[in-house]
Amino acid sequence: MPSGPVGFGFWHPLPRMGVTPRSALRLKPEACYADGMGVDTAPQNGALAETAAGLSQQMQAHLVWMARALEARWRSIERGFRQRLKALGYTAQQIASLVEITPGAAGILLAGGRPLEDFLEQVRYRARRLAKLDLTPARVVAALQEYDRLVEEAGRSAFGERGRDVRWARNQLHFLAILALNDAYYQVREAESRTFYELFRAQTESHSLEQLWERCLGILTRFSGAAEAGIFLLEEDGAWVAAAGLKEWKGLKLPPAAGSVKILSRPRVLTAGSRDAGAMLGPGWAGKYVSVWSVPMSSAGSLRGVLQFAFTRSYEWLPRELSLLEDAAARCWEAAEKARMTEELARREQQIRALAEHMVEIEEAGAVQRRELARQWLKVEEAHGSGLIGLRSGGRQVWVGRHARPEQRRQLARELRWALRVVMAMGAPGASPKP
């Protein structure tokens, strides 16, 4: 996902503020962060608040006058704005947020006796949504330009001699809105970059598969702001097993969820009381939470597991949130496969050490016996009749694999030959066996 710097072009001159227009404005990010807070909270922006406090009451008075002068036309302006944006390809969610950051929205709010800080708070909230809706800064600026044209057309006769003052006031407001938008976009991108960095650290620093699952789930739970989360793995018999997040259920098979495999094969927002509520895999979640995000983990086109995040209210994900979770699910599964391979290599290492000790355990008449075999003459053979695996060294021979299936015996024979070659190499002059 792109996470580079973002910027908003600024198209209005600012003659009364002494600001030189540039192709793009940049705002240094504040110390607070955006992850784990969702889109309902807005970090306090010290630089923006300071700038807003310095603006004259005259500017706000002009905006209030504009709101009252166009009082009978605001609905028509907003309707035209929505229609224009729809024709330009903006989505309904994007349009809903863009409407709330326009000069008209500010003027109406100020005319109702609300302070300018309330509008800036609204801009920050909507800007975070626009960032997560994956709307580029250039398209935000283009939308605001469309709105400005509609206001200019509607105000030609209504503004009269005060048209210049109203235009100046809108310019000042645009400046503040651009600062708020730029900072909100920066924080959303920063949160995404930090989440991927933390996932990378989890993948490289985890010492076991269990630790990997828990760390990845914790990172993504903080990013989403979920009240509870879990990783659930799909068994061959269609049952689900809790791998992380549910301490009392970890490693245990969960109650069967009918049709869950088909439902959970693609990303879904599950809602309590709906037909898909049974696919909420956390025990008791359907009665405890309102919404659950479910993101599949797949391998070779087959569902292997899911990440689920539970919320106490109705909560739909936004496009960039879903995109990050899908990427994270794929990375977590790949890391888990590598962790499993590491554990398998550790198991093979134990086989190597056993062969290096010249010993093999066999079971005869219910008793386990240890037989010593000289490795320098040891050979691995497969009996064609019984299918067992023979270990022969000098004049001694033992047969293993009695309780394994034929395909498992073949695999075991290959592993034993591989282990024997490694053991012989470890015993060669100058060889330094790895721990």
Side-chain angles (χ1 to χ4, degrees):
M1 299 176 64
S3 58
V6 293
F8 290 82
F10 193 73
W11 67 94
H12 289 294
L14 300 170
R16 301 193 187 186
M17 288 192 69
V19 177
T20 302
R22 293 180 294 173
S23 59
L25 293 173
R26 296 289 190 274
L27 182 66
K28 182 179 179 180
E30 298 296 323
C32 53
Y33 294 108
D35 58 319
M37 298 190 301
V39 294
D40 290 332
T41 56
Q44 294 301 314
N45 188 325
L48 184 59
E50 183 179 347
T51 304
L55 290 177
S56 67
Q57 292 296 320
Q58 183 181 16
M59 182 273 290
Q60 297 187 46
H62 288 323
L63 291 174
V64 171
W65 184 89
M66 177 190 72
R68 292 171 178 166
L70 297 177
E71 185 175 3
R73 305 186 187 183
W74 284 124
R75 288 189 178 181
S76 175
I77 292 173
E78 181 178 325
R79 185 167 55 251
F81 184 53
R82 289 177 179 272
Q83 291 174 349
R84 179 59 179 157
L85 293 187
K86 184 177 181 181
L88 291 173
Y90 292 80
T91 68
Q93 286 181 308
Q94 292 168 349
I95 293 172
S97 287
L98 288 167
V99 166
E100 298 297 324
I101 65 173
T102 60
I108 293 172
L109 188 147
L110 293 171
R114 303 271 294 280
L116 179 61
E117 287 76 12
D118 284 1
F119 173 70
L120 297 179
E121 178 98 4
Q122 181 171 291
V123 171
R124 284 191 290 268
Y125 166 77
R126 293 295 176 175
R128 285 173 53 79
R129 284 189 66 87
L130 289 170
K132 292 187 176 185
L133 286 166
D134 214 14
L135 188 64
T136 64
R139 296 202 73 201
V140 174
V141 171
L144 294 177
Q145 288 177 316
E146 292 292 335
Y147 190 88
D148 235 25
R149 281 193 282 270
L150 292 173
V151 172
E152 282 290 329
E153 292 174 4
R156 282 174 186 161
S157 58
F159 295 160
E161 294 182 356
R162 298 194 62 171
R164 182 178 178 182
D165 291 332
V166 170
R167 190 176 301 108
W168 169 80
R170 292 204 316 271
N171 289 344
Q172 310 303 310
L173 188 67
H174 278 309
F175 173 71
L176 288 180
I178 293 295
L179 289 179
L181 286 161
N182 202 65
D183 189 58
Y185 267 65
Y186 184 97
Q187 290 189 22
V188 169
R189 301 300 191 260
E190 173 69 13
E192 294 170 348
S193 298
R194 189 171 57 259
T195 297
F196 279 119
Y197 172 69
E198 290 177 355
L199 287 173
F200 170 76
R201 289 192 59 185
Q203 293 164 12
T204 55
E205 296 175 358
S206 295
H207 300 297
S208 67
L209 181 58
E210 179 180 357
Q211 185 183 29
L212 172 66
W213 283 135
E214 290 292 349
R215 288 189 63 175
C216 288
L217 184 65
I219 293 165
L220 297 176
T221 301
R222 289 192 296 273
F223 170 80
S224 66
E228 192 173 0
I231 294 178
F232 306 92
L233 303 181
L234 182 61
E235 298 284 280
E236 292 183 1
D237 61 0
W240 293 94
V241 174
L246 302 171
K247 293 182 179 179
E248 67 277 15
W249 288 89
K250 188 180 297 184
L252 301 178
K253 288 190 177 182
L254 302 173
S260 61
V261 174
K262 181 178 181 181
I263 294 172
L264 300 178
S265 294
R266 63 183 182 87
R268 283 183 179 270
V269 176
L270 308 171
T271 306
S274 67
R275 291 186 304 172
D276 297 341
M280 296 181 179
L281 298 180
W285 280 11
K288 184 178 179 181
Y289 297 110
V290 178
S291 296
V292 170
W293 295 357
S294 184
V295 184
M297 295 186 294
S298 301
S299 177
S302 299
L303 181 65
R304 302 296 185 184
V306 292
L307 298 166
Q308 291 200 343
F309 305 88
F311 301 88
T312 56
R313 60 187 176 83
S314 180
Y315 194 17
E316 291 281 340
W317 51 34
L318 300 179
R320 284 190 75 91
E321 291 173 325
L322 173 58
S323 179
L324 183 143
L325 291 174
E326 286 184 307
D327 288 347
R331 295 187 185 197
C332 288
W333 183 259
E334 289 175 2
E337 290 288 272
K338 293 178 182 177
R340 288 192 189 96
M341 185 179 299
T342 300
E343 292 181 353
E344 175 65 17
L345 289 174
R347 185 183 67 83
R348 288 188 175 188
E349 183 180 359
Q350 293 300 319
Q351 293 178 340
I352 294 174
R353 293 187 185 277
L355 287 174
E357 294 172 357
H358 323 294
M359 301 295 292
V360 63
E361 291 185 349
I362 62 172
E363 182 179 346
E364 290 183 351
V368 177
Q369 301 178 10
R370 291 170 65 85
R371 298 279 183 86
E372 183 175 357
L373 300 173
R375 67 182 180 188
Q376 61 269 33
W377 296 300
L378 183 62
K379 292 185 178 180
V380 180
E381 301 175 343
E382 294 182 63
H384 298 289
S386 63
L388 298 178
I389 301 170
L391 300 178
R392 182 164 56 87
S393 177
R396 308 189 66 177
Q397 185 172 27
V398 295
W399 299 94
V400 298
R402 188 178 307 278
H403 302 292
R405 295 195 301 269
E407 64 273 12
Q408 293 176 323
R409 292 173 189 154
R410 288 191 291 271
Q411 176 65 21
L412 177 59
R414 287 194 294 269
E415 292 185 0
L416 288 173
R417 291 191 184 98
W418 174 82
L420 181 61
R421 287 196 296 270
V422 174
V423 169
M424 297 303 294
M426 290 169 63
S432 56
K434 297 182 180 179

